[in-house]
Amino acid sequence: MGRFGGKVALVTGSTQGLGEAIAVRLVDDGLSGLVVTGRNEERGAAVAARLNDAGCRTVFAAADLADPGAVGNLIDMTDREFGRIDVLVNAAGDTQRGTVDDTTVDLFDHLTAVNLRAPFLLMQGAIRLMRREGIEGSIVNIASVAAHGGPPYLTVYATTKGALVTLTKNVANSVLWDRIRVNVMNIGWTDTPGEHAVRTGFHAGDEGWLEKAEASQPFGRLLKTSEVARAVAFLASDESGMMTGAAVDFNQIVVGCIAVQHPPSDD
């Protein structure tokens, strides 16, 4: 049956990239019901069909997370289709660039809506459903190591992810006695379709960015979505025990330390 047998999950951003990898991992681990969501209806329908074929009842709901009404509809749809929710993974995020100099009010509001307000509303709705059904559920939010402080062009993005970490800890504290666990993962630089689009668009259109980026990293590569998905599945499962309110850095650079030279010097 697997560690998610009999359970239902909602995974945002699951039409591609990390969200899709997380959805696939949960299904591989025996998930019984799943709501896939994102803005791309063609990809969403394809992902849902593939996971249905894999043995998990999967439905797709198109949603723009900048719209609070659409966010609420995701919880309502999960309730209508399955009558419960055991796992919520807030994997969707918008990484549009914006510095302190050039960020507009509209961009600031959009990034805040997608990266912070949407996860809050989804947690709010999922917790209400979990409480109603007496479910000791699990919520995993995807943040970023940029929450500790990012490059200038990620000023607003990094701020929303830092706020998501704080939100996670406060929500976890609020639902302790419901035995609902809420954790957040700060992921590092990851090889995703979204990152490719940004790198070839915003960053001078360099089609060879990945090879150069991977050569610059200690492990010789960027994080891959499948390995991050394994860690998310651990946090979402009973294997992580009573772990709640945790902010886990999943990165190959140690935050707060000066990067060592390669090869390390004797100095």
Side-chain angles (χ1 to χ4, degrees):
M1 179 177 288
R3 56 184 171 177
F4 294 107
K7 293 187 176 183
V8 171
L10 166 60
V11 181
T12 66
S14 44
T15 57
Q16 69 171 10
L18 178 57
E20 180 180 0
I22 292 168
V24 169
R25 182 69 196 193
L26 297 180
V27 171
D28 286 346
D29 285 347
L31 191 71
S32 297
L34 172 66
V35 175
V36 167
T37 183
R39 290 176 297 175
N40 189 318
E41 295 192 26
E42 183 178 353
R43 280 201 54 81
V47 171
R50 178 158 55 92
L51 296 181
N52 266 304
D53 290 343
C56 175
R57 180 168 174 255
T58 305
V59 295
F60 168 67
D64 180 353
L65 296 185
D67 177 5
V71 174
N73 287 339
L74 290 176
I75 297 296
D76 292 341
M77 180 178 185
T78 306
D79 192 13
R80 287 196 308 271
E81 293 288 338
F82 299 102
R84 63 183 294 130
I85 184 169
D86 301 89
V87 176
L88 167 66
V89 181
N90 282 306
D94 194 317
T95 62
Q96 286 188 62
R97 278 31 179 166
T99 71
V100 69
D101 297 304
D102 61 22
T103 297
T104 64
V105 171
D106 286 344
L107 177 58
F108 186 96
D109 287 348
H110 174 76
L111 289 173
T112 303
V114 173
N115 295 344
L116 185 60
R117 184 180 66 190
F120 172 79
L121 293 174
L122 285 163
M123 285 193 288
Q124 186 181 64
I127 288 166
R128 286 172 178 165
L129 189 49
M130 290 172 182
R131 282 172 168 163
R132 189 193 75 192
E133 299 299 318
I135 293 170
E136 297 178 9
S138 179
I139 297 172
V140 182
N141 295 321
I142 302 300
S144 166
V145 291
H148 299 289
Y153 56 80
L154 289 180
T155 294
V156 180
Y157 169 80
T159 299
T160 62
K161 292 302 187 179
L164 182 59
V165 172
T166 301
L167 177 63
T168 297
K169 290 178 176 289
N170 279 269
V171 172
N173 193 49
S174 299
V175 296
L176 286 175
W177 292 95
D178 298 291
R179 298 180 182 175
I180 298 170
R181 300 183 304 108
V182 190
N183 294 291
V184 61
M185 183 174 292
N186 292 320
I187 62 172
W189 202 357
T190 307
D191 177 12
T192 66
E195 182 66 8
H196 179 75
V198 170
R199 288 283 158 181
T200 55
F202 182 86
H203 296 280
D206 183 3
E207 290 290 342
W209 73 271
L210 180 60
E211 182 178 357
K212 298 172 186 176
E214 295 201 314
S216 72
Q217 299 299 295
F219 284 77
R221 62 181 177 84
L222 301 191
L223 287 173
K224 302 303 176 181
T225 57
S226 59
E227 63 188 323
V228 179
R230 289 196 300 270
V232 171
F234 167 75
L235 287 178
S237 75
D238 293 339
E239 292 181 13
S240 51
M242 294 183 289
M243 187 175 179
T244 193
V248 179
D249 287 344
F250 193 144
N251 193 25
Q252 58 188 308
I253 305 295
V254 180
V255 174
C257 291
I258 298 172
V260 297
Q261 298 174 357
H262 178 69
S265 70
D266 295 328
D267 297 336

